[in-house]
Amino acid sequence: GGLVSILQSSLIYDTRDFEPDPTRGMVAELSNEFFAPWIGSEFFFDKILLQFKHYHQLWPAVLPRTILASRLGYGTILGAQAPFFAYQDQWSPDGSVKGLGGSQTLRGYKANRLLGRTVAYGNLELRHQLGEAEFWDQHFSLGIVPFVDIGTIGDQILQINLGGLRASAGLGLRLGWNLSTIITMDYAFSNEDQQFFLNFNNSF
């Protein structure tokens, strides 16, 4: 344990057409968490996160709701004083990214299965809408999402272990309610585990 006090900052370039469920656009992000005694922290260290997300309509004239969604992320912790619990997530204004494993990163592994000073991950989803309908003045949609996740960690500042690359794959369903509420159901598997997740909002 120990007391931490954080100064958070982020620089984001965002061209998504609709943030909860985009069909096109991109996000480029540089986020930082700074911990120091002069702002009340018992530890002196810094956390950096780089993320890039992209959304592309594969056949807009024929299937406007078939989207190739991708994300790349890289985070590292600077400073020897970083406590163990600082390794469990990377902060982002779009929603903190937990350690590798779980519903956000490597979906075929248990949550926070892999933690390190440096982390890198990639996600690829093919989001295809099967149909949509109106019931009781409410709008609903149903989609299917095959996906692949990869990731690795490293024990050194800025360095990742490419030899320790892990991967998982799976299939998900997306139930949209009034456009902005997305219920996600994902089944994923890896050479280590199988996981099922029920959540709100897309993973990225």
Side-chain angles (χ1 to χ4, degrees):
L3 180 66
V4 294
S5 185
I6 312 167
L7 179 63
Q8 296 173 320
S9 59
S10 187
L11 180 64
I12 299 176
Y13 177 73
D14 189 347
T15 66
R16 289 174 293 184
D17 58 344
F18 185 56
E19 183 178 333
D21 192 22
T23 62
R24 60 184 180 273
M26 59 162 286
V27 180
E29 173 190 347
L30 171 61
S31 294
N32 184 263
E33 288 185 293
F34 179 69
F35 305 75
W38 58 266
I39 57 173
S41 177
E42 293 182 24
F43 310 95
F44 181 63
F45 65 101
D46 191 74
K47 297 171 69 173
I48 300 170
L49 174 65
L50 293 169
Q51 278 199 114
F52 179 78
K53 309 173 191 178
H54 187 256
Y55 307 90
H56 177 67
Q57 293 172 296
L58 293 179
W59 304 283
V62 181
L63 297 171
R65 293 295 301 181
T66 299
I67 313 302
L68 185 65
S70 57
R71 175 177 67 168
L72 291 173
Y74 171 84
T76 195
I77 300 175
L78 309 175
Q81 294 185 15
F84 72 94
F85 53 82
Y87 289 39
Q88 296 181 30
D89 76 309
Q90 292 281 345
W91 172 76
S92 166
D94 243 1
S96 292
V97 179
K98 303 298 182 183
L100 294 188
S103 63
Q104 292 181 303
T105 51
L106 278 176
R107 282 167 276 193
Y109 293 82
K110 287 184 170 57
N112 283 349
R113 171 66 179 85
L114 303 167
L115 301 176
R117 178 176 290 276
T118 300
V119 61
Y121 52 89
N123 310 97
L124 189 67
E125 295 186 348
L126 182 62
R127 301 176 181 175
H128 175 65
Q129 188 179 94
L130 299 172
E132 52 187 342
E134 298 277 343
F135 295 106
W136 306 295
D137 295 325
Q138 305 291 307
H139 181 271
F140 296 94
S141 64
L142 179 65
I144 188 169
V145 182
F147 58 84
V148 176
D149 303 327
I150 59 172
T152 187
I153 58 173
D155 294 329
Q156 304 300 319
I157 295 172
L158 302 175
Q159 296 180 1
I160 56 174
N161 177 19
L162 293 178
L165 197 67
R166 309 287 184 99
S168 63
L171 186 66
L173 291 176
R174 300 291 183 269
L175 177 62
W177 177 26
N178 289 337
L179 301 179
S180 60
T181 300
I182 310 296
I183 301 171
T184 67
M185 291 166 279
D186 289 335
Y187 168 76
F189 63 92
S190 67
N191 60 4
E192 181 176 300
D193 208 345
Q194 300 180 49
Q195 298 285 301
F196 176 77
F197 302 99
L198 177 62
N199 285 300
F200 287 93
N201 303 320
N202 288 303
S203 296
F204 61 94

